[in-house]
Amino acid sequence: MNHGPDDLSSTGEFDSDELALRRLLHQAVHDMEPRDGTLDHLRKAVPARRARKRQAVVGMAAAALFIGTAIPAVVHVSSTGTSANTSNAGHASQMQGGAGQGKQAEGGESTSGGTSGRTEDKGKGESKDEDKGRTAGAGSGASSGTDPSATTAASAPACTAVQLGTPTASTDVADSAGTVYGTFHITNGSTAACTVNGPGTVTPTAQGAADSSRISTLRHTSGDAAAGLPDPSLEVSQLLLQPGSSYDVKFAWVPNGTCPTTGPTTGPSPDPSTSPDSSTSEGSSSGGDTGTSTQLVTEDGTTDGSVTVTNTAEGGTPSVSTTVSDACAGTVYWTGVLTSS
């Protein structure tokens, strides 16, 4: 046991009590010896302990630094409110959407960071090009084949008078109620497809004893007097007409009166404004100067009258007519564009 200079007596030696205690202590540890390898263990354990202390100090410093930087950030976010987060989230979503569109348009390639906006614009532009390509493809599909097909968007220019050529018209025999049905048949006689945008117009013209003031026209509707016409649901607003294909416009003459009677006499009725030999043919004009015409009377005394029904295609030409005989008063019902069967 070591003693400093203060432990010594004034003479420079230990007191008797201290010497006795020192001997006792020396005797107590006289038989104790360190184990083998203790010195090596101490040489390794002391540096390791010092290293752990240094790591602990460094970890505490890092934790203190993290806490010092995190607290201001949390305070800043809480002070800005939820609106900033919402705008940031929307912007991030837009960037992701742009990147997705870029992938679809570029076949898997996209960019990020500062060029994300360009990628988004490029994706949108190419999406429009793809839509145009699909529209064109749909139009091409509709124009294939020999039969006309209904379309909602014209994929060919409107039909002209030259393309529609020479239409035809026909009438059927009157049914038991006196209704006469007819058809206007129009064909594309050109070598190019064209679009029919409507049925055109149907105009009746009074002939002979027919009374123009008692003749009218109406578009056909479900439940009207022209029950023999096709249902309006079969009409099309536009029709892509291929070369050689046709469409129809049908009509029905529904009478609401008979022609007037003049008595049992037959032949031309006398006209005081003309000479007896001024008219040589039935139904012809009585002269270029007078402008009068003869009226024919049947054997039963009924004045002859008829109605000429004319269809003019969309655009003003061409026109085709057919005549309904023994017709003086009534209504012409007509349909829209119908595909020819």
Side-chain angles (χ1 to χ4, degrees):
M1 183 176 182
N2 297 327
H3 294 273
D6 295 338
D7 295 332
L8 298 177
S9 64
S10 59
T11 59
E13 297 180 358
F14 293 104
D15 294 338
S16 60
D17 295 337
E18 292 177 351
L19 292 173
L21 179 60
R22 183 171 182 169
R23 284 194 299 270
L24 290 175
L25 292 176
H26 284 179
Q27 292 176 359
V29 297
H30 182 267
D31 295 332
M32 295 180 63
E33 294 181 358
R35 293 181 300 176
D36 295 338
T38 300
L39 183 59
D40 294 336
H41 174 71
L42 293 176
R43 289 175 179 174
K44 296 179 180 179
V46 171
R49 181 178 180 183
R50 291 176 180 174
R52 286 195 296 270
K53 287 183 178 181
R54 286 196 300 268
Q55 292 176 356
V57 172
V58 174
M60 292 177 64
L65 180 63
F66 174 76
I67 294 173
T69 56
I71 290 176
V74 173
V75 173
H76 175 70
V77 171
S78 62
S79 63
T80 55
T82 58
S83 59
N85 294 334
T86 304
S87 62
N88 292 334
H91 180 67
S93 177
Q94 184 178 6
M95 292 175 63
Q96 291 178 359
Q101 293 177 355
K103 289 181 180 180
Q104 293 178 359
E106 296 293 333
E109 296 182 0
S110 64
T111 59
S112 60
T115 59
S116 60
R118 297 181 181 177
T119 304
E120 179 181 354
D121 296 337
K122 187 174 182 181
K124 290 182 179 178
E126 294 188 359
S127 297
K128 294 180 180 178
D129 294 340
E130 292 178 0
D131 294 339
K132 291 181 181 178
R134 293 174 184 173
T135 304
S140 301
S143 62
S144 62
T146 58
D147 295 332
S149 58
T151 60
T152 56
S155 56
C159 295
T160 63
V162 176
Q163 288 178 299
L164 297 182
T166 305
T168 60
S170 61
T171 55
D172 299 332
V173 179
D175 60 14
S176 58
T179 301
V180 177
Y181 292 94
T183 302
F184 300 108
H185 190 71
I186 301 95
T187 303
N188 181 4
S190 69
T191 58
C194 62
T195 300
V196 179
N197 294 313
T201 59
V202 174
T203 307
T205 304
Q207 302 288 340
D211 187 356
S212 59
S213 64
R214 299 177 60 191
I215 298 174
S216 59
T217 59
L218 289 174
R219 280 297 301 268
H220 171 55
T221 58
S222 298
D224 60 17
L229 292 178
D231 190 88
S233 62
L234 300 177
E235 301 174 3
V236 293
S237 58
Q238 284 185 327
L239 189 67
L240 184 64
L241 200 62
Q242 297 292 340
S245 299
S246 306
Y247 73 92
D248 294 335
V249 176
K250 294 182 179 293
F251 74 92
W253 165 259
V254 180
N256 57 15
T258 59
C259 293
T261 59
T262 59
T265 59
T266 60
S269 60
D271 190 343
S273 64
T274 59
S275 59
D277 58 349
S278 61
S279 176
T280 58
S281 62
E282 296 182 356
S284 63
S285 173
S286 60
D289 296 335
T290 62
T292 60
S293 61
T294 60
Q295 292 184 347
L296 302 181
V297 182
T298 60
E299 293 181 357
D300 58 358
T302 302
T303 305
D304 186 16
S306 61
V307 175
T308 300
V309 184
T310 303
N311 172 241
T312 303
E314 193 78 14
T317 50
S319 297
V320 61
S321 301
T322 184
T323 300
V324 180
S325 59
D326 193 17
C328 292
T331 302
V332 177
Y333 294 89
W334 54 290
T335 69
V337 176
L338 300 168
T339 57
S340 297
S341 57

